[in-house]
Amino acid sequence: MTTIGFIGSGRIGSTVARLAVNAGHDVVLSNSRGPETLGDLVGELGSQARAAMSEEAAAAGELVVVTVPLSAVERVPAEPLRGKVVIDTCNYYPQRDGHVAALDDESTTTSELVQHHLAESKVVKGFNNINYLHLGALARPSGSPERSVLAMAGDVADAKARVASFYDSIGYDAYDVGPLAEGWRFQRDTPAYAGLYNGDTTGAWPPPDDSGRRVTAETLRENLAAAKRYRDL
Ligand SMILES: NC(=O)c1ccc[n+]([C@@H]2O[C@H](COP(=O)([O-])OP(=O)(O)OC[C@H]3O[C@@H](n4cnc5c(N)ncnc54)[C@H](OP(=O)(O)O)[C@@H]3O)[C@@H](O)[C@H]2O)c1
């Protein structure tokens, strides 16, 4: 079992933490306001969970999930994450995050920006194209015919293997999309983002039409292939 650090413990962070604890991992949670504000979540998760400052969560995690608004990424502590595998869940919403020229002109991608900030870490893009409620509800044990795949992208093979193993432990098969530069294929508003649950992106659970809510490798492959750059939408 692994200690998972969390920079950000909101909707996605708390959902991944819950899945991780259920799988037997330890979790160290952090947010922007300080560990004392995470008492309820730690209480719910029990003895495998604790809260800390971001630097400490980063240092404690063997694997670290960065799950904050994109605008906060530059405040994620890089030093304690050196050499570590970091899962980046961030999406770019200009109305929330402010405009980033290199994302608007598509000369880079969100996870490449995160990798640039965390230059000595091994960044893997993951969890970004699934609603947090769906993420919590779709987890299935290994071998279940109802298991879904989760996309990931990254430049370092052993980091992706580590993330695939983590996905497996919390109830998902991994689907390797390729290097970070291919992460745009499952960014906001692509079919792999909006199409996961028959177009339901509201977070309603159960989804309005649950007939296709399991995400197969085939569905994801088709959606990735159908992805368009924002400039071509
Ligand atoms: N919601 C979804 O279903 C979903 C799905 C996939 C991907 N995403 C993406 O994943 C990221 C997180 O989404 P979310 O919905 O979980 O957001 P959220 O519920 O708003 O939670 C954001 C978390 O980040 C923390 N945070 C903000 N600035 C921080 C900083 N400088 N240092 C440490 N922690 C900081 C917040 O702490 P405080 O509360 O103390 O400020 C909060 O715990 C976003 O980029 C989002 O686009 C979301």
Side-chain angles (χ1 to χ4, degrees), residues 39-191:
D40 287 351
L41 181 58
V42 169
E44 178 208 326
L45 295 178
S47 60
Q48 288 160 250
R50 67 184 174 95
M53 298 299 286
S54 294
E55 288 75 8
E56 197 189 337
E62 296 160 72
L63 178 67
V64 177
V65 184
V66 169
T67 181
V68 297
L70 189 66
S71 54
V73 162
E74 59 191 25
R75 294 192 292 285
V76 172
E79 184 56 32
L81 293 173
R82 282 176 68 132
K84 296 193 180 186
V85 178
V86 172
I87 303 179
D88 160 40
T89 82
C90 301
N91 290 309
Y92 174 46
Y93 283 93
Q95 63 274 37
R96 178 192 67 188
D97 300 315
H99 279 276
V100 178
L103 294 177
D104 289 339
D105 69 17
E106 300 189 281
S107 56
T108 191
T109 61
T110 53
S111 291
E112 288 174 291
L113 283 183
V114 175
Q115 178 68 79
H116 183 74
H117 175 63
L118 304 176
E120 304 294 326
S121 304
K122 302 173 202 173
V123 172
V124 176
K125 184 181 189 68
F127 295 122
N128 72 292
N129 66 324
I130 181 166
N131 175 279
Y132 74 106
L133 291 173
H134 299 154
L135 179 64
L138 283 171
R140 296 289 183 279
S142 181
S144 164
E146 290 184 7
R147 222 182 202 214
S148 291
V149 297
L150 280 180
M152 64 174 177
D155 294 340
V156 183
D158 69 2
K160 287 194 281 195
R162 192 78 195 274
V163 171
S165 167
F166 178 59
Y167 279 3
D168 182 45
S169 73
I170 63 169
Y172 289 90
D173 290 335
Y175 187 105
D176 185 358
V177 178
L180 284 183
E182 286 292 286
W184 67 271
R185 289 188 177 277
F186 56 110
Q187 70 186 358
R188 169 181 53 77
D189 294 344
T190 57

